[in-house]
Amino acid sequence: MTRTGISVKRITAWRRRPWAGYAVVLAALAAIGVVYAGFSPRSDRAEAQSSAQAAQDLKHGQQLFNKNCASCHGLNAEGTKDAKGNPIAPSLIGVGAASVDFQVSTGRMPAMNPGAQIPRKEPIPDFNTSIKTDFEEPEKREAAEKQKAQAEKNLADLRAWIASLGGGPEVPPASAVDPDKGDVALGGKLFRTNCAQCHNFTGQGGALTGGKYAPPLSGDDVTPTQMYEAMLTGPQAMPVFNDTTLTPQDKQAIISYLVKTREEPNPGGNGLGRIGPVSEGLAGWLIGIGLLVLAAMWITAKKPKKLKKS
């Protein structure tokens, strides 16, 4: 008998054994597992790398918080109080990424000299995402771009760590703050109804009680994202306009109105607060009439010379 015939008989005898079926099933499962692993190792590896990167980013955000914020807000962002129990800095648990982005990107935080209201200032270098990069020299431009990219990552990591403590409003997407997509006319009505009492009809700002004030919104340094975040989180003396009070479309309309208003020129020269002909007429009346009164006083105050006798 040939060697092939013997092999066939052995295989046939092996197949008739009771445990042969289980062995075939196990072998089939193992083969399926090997094939599946061969087709999907990249996705599993990418997911593992993404999780590891997210954990690293959160750790970096906590390090930035400990360096710049923990001295006032506490090591766990629980807030701090003085010896009399008066709050020094509020808790950041639950404030959300949008609040952190607004306060830090506008330079209000970290606060160097707390007072009735924290003013807007240039952000510290770690979070200065508005740094200029339009240098002609390639070396300076490359260094500035690198610094700006690092600041953006630092701010994103800090936002992520604060958000991991208790959620809260997220940073709005770019599509929600595009001023070209909002209804300017509707935004003007909403702004005059909800915001003009403090910020002036055209967003020039104004004084409030207790040393507080509504900051101007007319500068180019006030970005549409910051406008949206301010309405969403209600910083300092400003009330919160959540999505129930003002829908995302309403917020976008207000942003469109403010951006459109500050882009309009002043055909009369000095804007004088851009509140219309009232301010211009008042200035003309006070200055013009005042000059005429001074001229009349000066003329009448001069003593007439005696006429010479002919």
Side-chain angles (χ1 to χ4, degrees):
M1 184 178 291
T2 62
R3 188 171 297 177
T4 303
I6 295 173
S7 300
V8 173
K9 284 187 176 182
R10 287 180 179 177
I11 294 172
T12 303
W14 181 83
R15 289 175 57 189
R16 291 176 180 175
R17 294 180 181 180
W19 49 266
Y22 298 103
V24 172
V25 173
L26 291 175
L29 291 175
I32 292 173
V34 171
V35 172
Y36 178 79
F39 282 99
S40 61
R42 294 183 180 179
S43 60
D44 295 342
R45 191 178 307 164
E47 184 176 353
Q49 291 177 351
S50 178
S51 300
Q53 184 63 42
Q56 186 177 355
D57 292 342
L58 287 177
K59 185 177 180 181
H60 183 227
Q62 185 177 14
Q63 292 173 350
L64 290 168
F65 177 85
N66 292 337
K67 175 184 175 182
N68 299 286
C69 316
S71 59
C72 292
H73 292 282
L75 291 175
N76 297 314
E78 73 279 10
T80 54
K81 298 181 180 180
D82 59 16
K84 297 181 180 180
N86 299 318
I88 299 176
S91 171
L92 300 181
I93 299 175
V95 300
S99 179
V100 176
D101 188 76
F102 174 83
Q103 297 288 353
V104 177
S105 66
T106 60
R108 290 178 168 87
M109 294 291 161
M112 305 304 175
N113 298 309
Q117 184 163 327
I118 307 300
R120 182 189 182 99
K121 61 181 183 299
E122 184 178 357
I124 63 175
D126 284 347
F127 305 110
N128 190 4
T129 59
S130 60
I131 184 173
K132 295 181 179 180
T133 59
D134 54 347
F135 294 100
E136 294 182 359
E137 298 85 351
E139 295 181 355
K140 290 185 178 181
R141 183 171 62 251
E142 184 178 355
E145 290 176 350
K146 184 177 180 181
Q147 184 179 355
K148 182 176 181 179
Q150 184 60 48
E152 290 175 348
K153 185 181 185 306
N154 290 343
L155 184 54
D157 291 347
L158 180 64
R159 293 195 309 256
W161 188 75
I162 295 296
S164 69
L165 300 178
E170 294 291 334
V171 176
S175 59
V177 297
D178 188 351
D180 295 331
K181 295 182 178 180
D183 188 337
V184 177
L186 174 61
K189 294 179 181 179
L190 292 172
F191 185 84
R192 288 187 291 271
T193 302
N194 299 280
C195 317
Q197 297 88 339
C198 298
H199 288 283
N200 182 298
F201 291 98
T202 55
Q204 301 297 312
L208 302 176
T209 59
K212 298 180 180 180
Y213 58 91
L217 306 175
S218 55
D220 293 335
D221 55 340
V222 183
T223 66
T225 299
Q226 292 168 355
M227 294 180 191
Y228 195 107
E229 290 169 342
M231 289 184 279
L232 194 62
T233 61
Q236 301 184 105
M238 183 172 174
V240 176
F241 294 96
N242 56 31
D243 290 344
T244 303
T245 306
L246 290 176
T247 65
Q249 291 75 19
D250 293 340
K251 294 183 177 67
Q252 190 172 42
I254 292 175
I255 292 171
S256 299
Y257 167 74
L258 289 172
V259 172
K260 182 67 175 178
T261 300
R262 70 188 184 191
E263 290 178 351
E264 292 180 352
N266 294 312
N270 194 337
L272 300 176
R274 305 190 67 149
I275 60 174
V278 174
S279 60
E280 297 173 359
L282 181 61
W285 177 266
L286 293 178
I287 295 173
I289 297 299
L291 291 175
L292 291 176
V293 170
L294 291 175
M297 292 174 62
W298 178 77
I299 292 173
T300 56
K302 293 183 65 176
K303 295 181 179 180
K305 293 182 180 181
K306 294 182 178 179
L307 297 175
K308 294 182 179 181
K309 295 181 178 180
S310 57

